[in-house]
Amino acid sequence: MSVAETLQKNLSSIHDSIAAACQRSGRDPSSVRLVAVTKYAEWEWVQELSRLHSTFGENRPQQLAERQALLPQVEWHLIGQLQRNKVKQALQHAAMIHSVDSLRLLQEIVKVARGLNLRPRLLLQVNVSGEESKSGFTPDELRSSWPEITEHSESVSIEGLMTMAPETDDLSIVRPVFAGLRLLRDELAVRPESQQRRISLPELSMGMSGDYVPAIEEGATLVRIGSRVFEGCEVQP
Ligand SMILES: *Cc1c(COP(=O)(O)O)cnc(C)c1O
């Protein structure tokens, strides 16, 4: 099978399982967007995929910038950790940043965005599971920083929350993490600071190749899927 055929088959099977998960949970399939994560993909595969799909995710700002410049018709989302010295590059090339993981980073984004006269679309990354290895606001940090975060809403568009579940097949561990992100969003969206500034947090970025089905059942609007999209693609000799 050619790379194009493999990608088509993978995408259609992912879209089918997204639709099935939506049906089970009474959701409209158009409320879930696939972010195809290209971080480990060969450039040829990325080019083929751009004929079939138009929302891509990269976890490194440098590779995102290079690839965005070559495929500007695609919407590129930054999903990985952002150092403060890479903020300008990220803002110039990313349509959305999913990984705003601290107040200091948010403050830097606000400063750089003003200088560039941009109003970037952002998601706040939350460490719901509490694993040491994961970055992000703790739920309590996000609650206590909320007045300050929402003050920046003239400079940045805060569109929702992102999380990563622990790496396990055990649904009884991952499902509460996804549900926890949704409940935290619901709680923050009704805070007076949010209502005053019309911050409704519609987006929940959660779910990867191994766990996107339970994530959708718990309310994901953006699923970040890499290995399932490129499964079976082979490097040309
Ligand atoms: C790599 C990555 C993904 C996609 O992972 P797969 O398991 O390959 O689907 C999703 N989110 C983040 C933040 C990533 O770094």
Side-chain angles (χ1 to χ4, degrees), residues 136-161:
F137 291 86
T138 68
D140 275 339
E141 278 168 0
L142 199 55
R143 290 183 182 101
S144 62
S145 308
W146 199 243
E148 178 167 359
I149 290 171
T150 51
E151 270 175 27
H152 293 303
S153 67
E154 271 175 36
S155 308
V156 295
S157 176
I158 298 162
E159 305 200 349
L161 307 180

Side-chain angles (χ1 to χ4, degrees), residues 35 37 39-40 58-59 79-81 98-99 125 162-164 205 207-212 223-229:
V35 179
V37 176
K39 65 183 177 202
Y40 297 132
E58 279 286 343
N59 71 335
I79 61 170
Q81 196 158 40
H98 293 223
S99 43
Q125 183 173 349
M162 179 271 227
T163 200
M164 292 209 265
S205 170
M208 318 195 334
S209 291
D211 57 16
Y212 68 92
V223 288
R224 311 177 308 269
I225 303 182
S227 35
R228 276 286 284 117
V229 171

Side-chain angles (χ1 to χ4, degrees), residues 52-98:
L52 306 167
H53 192 72
S54 60
T55 309
F56 289 8
E58 279 286 343
N59 71 335
R60 288 175 42 229
Q62 180 71 37
Q63 183 154 298
L64 183 148
E66 288 166 11
R67 290 180 161 190
Q68 189 274 338
L70 294 168
L71 276 180
Q73 67 273 32
V74 168
E75 199 181 283
W76 291 88
H77 292 210
L78 182 66
I79 61 170
Q81 196 158 40
L82 178 57
Q83 308 290 337
R84 277 173 294 145
N85 63 357
K86 294 278 173 60
V87 164
K88 184 173 178 191
Q89 185 176 49
L91 294 187
Q92 287 170 322
H93 296 277
M96 184 183 269
I97 300 174
H98 293 223

Side-chain angles (χ1 to χ4, degrees), residues 1-9 48-49 51-52 233:
M1 226 192 288
S2 69
V3 168
E5 288 165 335
T6 304
L7 291 172
Q8 196 133 38
K9 178 171 133 291
E48 285 294 345
L49 188 66
R51 295 183 229 279
L52 306 167
C233 290

